[in-house]
Amino acid sequence: MELEFIAENRFTKFPMEENLQEEVFASDWELLLSRHTREPWEILREMFVELSFPIGSGQSKNPELLVALKRGILPSYPQGAWKPIAPAGIMVYLHPTPAGRLPVIECEADTDFIRLLQSLAYRCDSRPVPKSRGATIIKNYNNWARINMHRNSSTDGIPKDPALYRDCIALLSHRYYSGVTPEVFGLKSDEWRKKSLVLRREHEVAHYMTQRLYHSAKNEIHDEIIADFMGLTAAFGDYDPDKFLTFLGLENYPDYRAGGRLEIYLPTNDKNFSLLCEILPQAAKNIAAYYYNTDGDRIRVFHALCRTSMADIVRGKLHE
């Protein structure tokens, strides 16, 4: 079987980081949240200047928005500033991870999730958000509340150390995970939404962990295998290969269901797409067997998946 296209493993290009220190943004967020006496969503308006602008086509090139992003100066009379559809459904908190606490924003209302995603990830451009996308990690975000916290009072310049103002944030929706309905797994709607939330939070945490520990986090299938493993084991206490394949659109493998997540990581017209559909079931089975043999040690399996190329996962040769 031709596996050369998945033989390289970028997670092993550099030595793994050890004895990580929590990033500065965690303690800053803790302080900002403790100082804030209003609703959680209101502090987001102080942190994220994009929330003072409307969503629209070409909005990322709006001169006023560009000034706000560069200098933190908002328009005198902002039009279209964000006000959540469900204010009580916005939660902002720090989530513990093996790589340090991570700021998390949860949105109960789908409209609020879409607005925040378009604001923070797309710079207020009205790009569509597919149903299969229910979360994202926003990296290297310039947080103006933190800039104002750390700037020298005698100047209005940005702090020289980017660690004092750049954030990594997990943005989560309450959507069904990967757009899969609860009936598929024989679950009730509320139960599946709760599990979906755990799934996507731990999925995004896994991306944060690979970035900090292995210096890489990309929108590729190796990353998704790792992240879905961490999400499934956190939400269900076990790793079910069939659930993983369903998320990708391969519940009837080797046939692929159009609209599944797999096409996000490799276009369906790519010459290797059919081969990937063929080999992913074997990869999932090998991961399940390895996890069973570790007595359910999620972190041990996480590291093994990072240290093993996709090709070797398919071959069942996971590396400790």
Side-chain angles (χ1 to χ4, degrees):
M1 185 176 292
E2 299 293 330
L3 298 178
E4 285 79 5
F5 77 104
I6 52 172
E8 184 179 356
N9 184 8
R10 58 188 151 77
F11 293 120
T12 56
K13 285 189 174 181
F14 303 98
M16 187 191 83
E17 290 289 341
E18 297 186 18
N19 302 317
L20 283 176
Q21 298 296 311
E22 184 172 78
E23 295 196 78
V24 178
F25 59 65
S27 58
D28 283 356
W29 274 68
E30 182 177 40
L31 183 58
L32 288 166
L33 290 173
S34 68
R35 286 177 176 175
H36 213 276
T37 58
R38 292 174 289 169
E39 295 296 319
W41 68 270
E42 293 181 272
I43 193 173
L44 301 181
R45 288 269 294 270
E46 295 178 12
M47 292 179 171
F48 311 141
V49 296
E50 293 94 332
L51 297 181
S52 292
F53 294 84
I55 302 298
S57 177
Q59 183 71 352
S60 62
K61 298 179 181 179
N62 178 342
E64 285 189 327
L65 174 59
L66 295 177
V67 169
L69 290 168
K70 185 177 181 179
R71 301 177 61 191
I73 299 174
L74 298 176
S76 300
Y77 303 99
Q79 299 294 318
W82 175 60
K83 292 183 180 178
I85 296 296
I90 304 292
M91 295 184 63
V92 183
Y93 57 92
L94 288 161
H95 182 67
T97 86
R101 291 174 297 170
L102 179 67
V104 173
I105 304 169
E106 277 186 35
C107 302
E108 185 175 326
D110 211 48
T111 304
D112 290 329
F113 168 71
I114 292 171
R115 173 61 192 267
L116 284 170
L117 179 62
Q118 290 176 327
S119 296
L120 305 184
Y122 304 157
R123 294 282 177 87
C124 296
D125 273 343
S126 54
R127 290 168 54 183
V129 179
K131 284 290 184 183
S132 60
R133 185 172 191 181
T136 193
I137 281 273
I138 300 165
K139 296 185 287 187
N140 295 320
Y141 182 87
N142 291 353
N143 181 334
W144 274 92
R146 293 185 63 216
I147 290 173
N148 292 328
M149 176 191 296
H150 291 291
R151 74 161 83 227
N152 187 322
S153 59
S154 63
T155 71
D156 60 355
I158 293 176
K160 291 183 179 180
D161 185 357
L164 297 178
Y165 59 85
R166 285 189 179 161
D167 287 352
C168 187
I169 309 156
L171 175 63
L172 312 178
S173 75
H174 282 216
R175 289 178 165 187
Y176 296 140
Y177 193 73
S178 293
V180 175
T181 59
E183 295 80 13
V184 172
F185 297 145
L187 299 172
K188 293 182 179 179
S189 177
D190 287 349
E191 182 184 9
W192 179 222
R193 285 194 190 278
K194 288 177 182 178
K195 289 188 179 297
S196 290
L197 182 62
V198 175
L199 259 161
R200 63 174 44 99
R201 184 177 60 214
E202 298 307 312
H203 179 111
E204 300 305 328
V205 163
H207 288 314
Y208 180 58
M209 290 169 62
T210 63
Q211 180 64 60
R212 293 216 69 203
L213 292 163
Y214 292 97
H215 314 282
S216 183
K218 293 187 177 181
N219 199 32
E220 295 181 2
I221 189 61
H222 192 176
D223 299 68
E224 297 307 298
I225 284 175
I226 296 166
D228 268 8
F229 166 81
M230 294 298 284
L232 277 167
T233 50
F236 289 94
D238 199 2
Y239 179 76
D240 183 344
D242 291 334
K243 287 186 174 68
F244 168 68
L245 295 171
T246 300
F247 298 152
L248 294 183
L250 287 171
E251 61 269 29
N252 295 312
Y253 62 86
D255 294 334
Y256 174 72
R257 167 175 48 82
R261 264 178 46 220
L262 184 56
E263 62 196 61
I264 296 175
Y265 317 117
L266 193 70
T268 56
N269 60 0
D270 188 284
K271 63 180 182 179
N272 291 312
F273 189 85
S274 295
L275 179 56
L276 204 55
C277 292
E278 180 183 347
I279 63 178
L280 279 171
Q282 186 59 54
K285 289 179 182 177
N286 291 341
I287 293 168
Y290 186 84
Y291 179 57
Y292 177 81
N293 288 329
T294 66
D295 295 324
D297 189 335
R298 296 172 67 242
I299 301 303
R300 176 181 168 187
V301 179
F302 165 82
H303 287 293
L305 292 173
C306 289
R307 293 167 181 162
T308 307
S309 70
M310 272 280 296
D312 278 351
I313 292 174
V314 174
R315 297 184 182 107
K317 299 178 180 179
L318 277 79
H319 310 306
E320 290 285 347

